[in-house]
Amino acid sequence: MSEVRGPSADAAIGVAYSTNQLGRARELLTLFYVLRRAVRFYPVEHPATLSAVRDFKEAAGRFHSEGVDVQVSFFEGELLFGQHLLPEESLLFDQLIREMSAIGVGTLTICRGVDAAELTRAAGVLSADSHEVKRDGGIIRMIDQANVPHVIVGEVKVYEQNRELDSSVEELKESYEGAIELMREIDTVVRRNQTISSTRVKGAVRSLVDNVLSNRSAMIELSGLKSHDEYTFYHSANVAILSLALGSAISNDYRFLSSLGTGALLHDVGKLKVDASILNKPGSLSAEEWAAMRMHPVYGAQEVALVPGLDRSSLVIILEHHLRYDGTGYPARVPRRPQRLASRVVAVADAFDAMTSRRSYSEARVQDEAIAVLAQSAGTALDPALTRLFVSLMGVYPPRSVVRLSDGSTGIVLRPGDTDAMRPVVRIIADKAGTLIEPRDVDLASVEGLDVSRCIDSADLNIDVEEYV
């Protein structure tokens, strides 16, 4: 399991603010921005500095008098006030977010009891540039040396607790099956107009995050499991795993991955509010039916917003997963704004799993065809950088793909190659005549002249992939 590194465990826990307090967040952030600028350009005793310290202390003091600390988080272009995502402020304070992230500040907490002298010293550290921070040994060392006990900084870093062994196959499967069972429960709960259990969601997501961090390749392999009869449940679990696999290639920040996993697992919960006749219609949807279908991100965000205790940033993922990289998707945003990073991650995972699953209105694509479609969508529907990273994780021939090799034999892909996305590790199960043989594993990167020709549909060969992997 990973944890956010910092001098206080409380710094990793999002404070819950009232509506009134959230309304004062922008003022506080503006004053913090002014304070950093004043300390950077004027001496400590200059009137501009003294005024900036006084104004910020007064604004923070209003929160302290109400019994809460001031907590702001900066990560991947996002700004959170406690546990609350601030979409508009994330745009307004883009420069501040980038500057704080550049010096390694993930979370900043101004605790009750802070005085003006502490704020001045802390502001001196937090106004440093990245070169100064690197030269002086990092932001945590600098803040410790500044003697500011009421100012807590959490780094944009994680560390891994020691694990002697990777998760066992049984643990991985238990985590996967737990996510599917949770989605079955949520289906029942939502249809009865009851509230989803945040405890159950957090437990399932925590298990998925831990197991992806422990054994990403094995979890990716599990995500190849499909069920036509329970498509929604399996799809939700698969998208969560694939999103976490892709997200963990960007950052191992546990808070980021937890929010990502929650949004990914619940991304389609709004479909439970769409009429089943529309969801399962085998043919094309009418204009009215398509309009109803396009509402599912909104329904989902509304449903999850009612769940107390869940990370609010996961709502953005649910709302945005069909927004598209170019902003032309749904629901439409006015004014148009880019998808958040986590939403772009889930969009890639969602597209791949949907294409490789059989649904009432479409057959499953073979895996290499789905990968090709992803590549074609890069830059329009999907983030091109994330798409490239996803392909590098999955390989051109993802795990569980049934493939025809250049010598005519048939194999099942176990995992991508370490050095070449075109040359995976394959379990050969049949010779060129189609006769089943004793399975043998071959790393194509180490065998000259043996390549994958194409993916084939396991149903065409009457092969049960599960028997071989």
Side-chain angles (χ1 to χ4, degrees):
M1 177 177 175
S2 305
E3 294 180 358
V4 179
R5 180 183 176 188
S8 167
D10 293 339
I13 302 173
V15 178
Y17 292 109
S18 69
T19 301
N20 179 274
Q21 290 167 339
L22 288 174
R24 304 199 306 266
R26 185 176 299 185
E27 175 196 15
L28 188 79
L29 290 163
T30 301
L31 293 173
F32 179 63
Y33 185 88
V34 171
L35 173 60
R36 290 181 68 247
R37 286 292 184 271
V39 171
R40 178 176 296 176
F41 295 117
Y42 300 103
V44 172
E45 65 278 4
H46 192 280
T49 303
L50 296 174
S51 175
V53 171
R54 182 183 64 250
D55 291 347
F56 181 77
K57 184 176 184 300
E58 289 179 358
R62 292 181 62 190
F63 289 88
H64 295 161
S65 67
E66 294 164 348
V68 294
D69 296 329
V70 170
Q71 185 186 78
V72 186
S73 299
F74 313 87
F75 186 72
E76 292 291 345
E78 311 283 4
L79 195 154
L80 288 92
F81 195 58
Q83 64 179 227
H84 309 273
L85 177 67
L86 303 180
E88 292 184 10
E89 286 76 8
S90 294
L91 292 175
L92 290 172
F93 295 95
D94 175 69
Q95 181 68 25
L96 175 63
I97 295 169
R98 286 190 281 113
E99 290 178 357
M100 296 296 282
S101 298
I103 62 174
V105 176
T107 302
L108 172 65
T109 305
I110 311 296
C111 299
R112 284 157 281 181
V114 69
D115 58 29
E118 272 189 84
L119 283 177
T120 303
R121 293 194 297 272
V125 173
L126 297 171
S127 64
D129 63 32
S130 58
H131 299 292
E132 293 173 300
V133 171
K134 183 176 181 181
R135 180 197 65 201
D136 293 342
I139 195 68
I140 294 298
R141 181 179 180 184
M142 292 175 68
I143 208 76
D144 286 346
Q145 292 178 338
N147 185 27
V148 286
H150 297 93
V151 179
I152 299 173
V153 171
E155 288 185 291
V156 189
K157 289 184 178 179
V158 297
Y159 67 91
E160 295 294 320
Q161 292 181 345
N162 292 329
R163 299 183 67 121
E164 295 182 0
L165 297 172
D166 288 340
S167 298
S168 67
V169 173
E170 290 73 20
E171 287 178 308
L172 299 178
K173 288 184 176 179
E174 182 178 345
S175 176
Y176 181 75
E177 291 167 358
I180 294 171
E181 181 57 35
L182 171 63
M183 296 312 300
R184 293 190 184 108
E185 291 179 17
I186 288 176
D187 177 69
T188 301
V189 166
V190 172
R191 295 186 190 284
R192 291 177 178 174
N193 291 318
Q194 297 173 336
T195 303
I196 297 169
S197 166
S198 62
T199 301
R200 290 280 291 117
V201 173
K202 288 180 178 179
V205 170
R206 187 182 305 114
S207 177
L208 291 175
V209 173
D210 288 346
N211 282 293
V212 167
L213 289 174
S214 172
N215 198 333
R216 183 166 60 195
S217 60
M219 288 298 281
I220 287 175
E221 182 183 323
L222 276 177
S223 72
L225 291 169
K226 311 288 182 182
S227 172
H228 176 65
D229 294 334
E230 292 189 308
Y231 165 74
T232 299
F233 308 147
Y234 277 78
H235 175 65
S236 298
N238 292 340
V239 170
I241 290 172
L242 293 174
S243 297
L244 289 170
L246 181 54
S248 66
I250 303 168
S251 170
N252 278 358
D253 182 271
Y254 205 83
R255 180 174 179 174
F256 167 70
L257 293 176
S258 295
S259 175
L260 175 64
T262 301
L265 187 64
L266 302 178
H267 78 285
D268 266 351
V269 74
K271 285 186 175 179
L272 300 177
K273 295 290 188 178
V274 178
D275 193 281
S277 65
I278 296 175
L279 290 175
N280 301 320
K281 185 176 180 179
S284 299
L285 298 180
S286 68
E288 293 77 13
E289 290 168 335
W290 179 234
M293 178 65 82
R294 286 162 63 98
M295 285 297 295
H296 81 265
V298 177
Y299 296 152
Q302 290 172 340
E303 188 70 33
V304 175
L306 299 175
V307 183
L310 283 188
D311 190 331
R312 300 295 92 180
S313 58
S314 64
L315 296 176
V316 179
I317 300 171
I318 297 168
L319 189 64
E320 291 187 346
H321 72 279
H322 282 302
L323 188 59
R324 291 174 54 103
Y325 179 70
D326 59 11
T328 62
Y330 60 90
R333 301 291 297 272
V334 179
R336 184 180 294 182
R337 58 154 294 170
Q339 276 179 306
R340 301 289 179 174
L341 171 67
S343 306
R344 301 198 303 271
V345 169
V346 172
V348 174
D350 180 35
F352 177 77
D353 188 73
M355 283 191 288
T356 54
S357 302
R358 183 167 68 92
R359 292 168 286 174
S360 59
Y361 52 89
S362 68
E363 291 298 321
R365 295 177 184 264
V366 291
Q367 286 86 340
D368 60 343
E369 182 182 343
I371 290 289
V373 174
L374 288 185
Q376 292 166 6
S377 302
T380 53
L382 304 174
D383 182 315
L386 292 178
T387 302
R388 287 193 296 271
L389 183 56
F390 185 79
V391 174
S392 71
L393 285 174
M394 302 293 287
V396 174
Y397 309 102
R400 295 179 181 267
S401 303
V402 179
V403 293
R404 185 81 73 206
L405 302 181
S406 55
D407 65 355
S409 60
T410 301
I412 297 172
V413 176
L414 299 179
R415 62 182 182 275
D418 293 330
T419 58
D420 189 343
M422 298 288 291
R423 302 175 67 80
V425 177
V426 176
R427 179 161 292 165
I428 299 177
I429 62 171
D431 61 23
K432 62 182 179 181
T435 303
L436 295 177
I437 62 174
E438 184 68 24
R440 60 187 178 90
D441 296 350
V442 176
D443 184 349
L444 297 183
S446 63
V447 180
E448 188 174 348
L450 186 60
D451 305 289
V452 175
S453 296
R454 60 188 174 89
C455 284
I456 51 181
D457 190 338
S458 60
D460 293 341
L461 302 178
N462 197 29
I463 291 175
D464 183 358
V465 174
E466 298 311 305
E467 292 183 5
Y468 295 95
V469 298

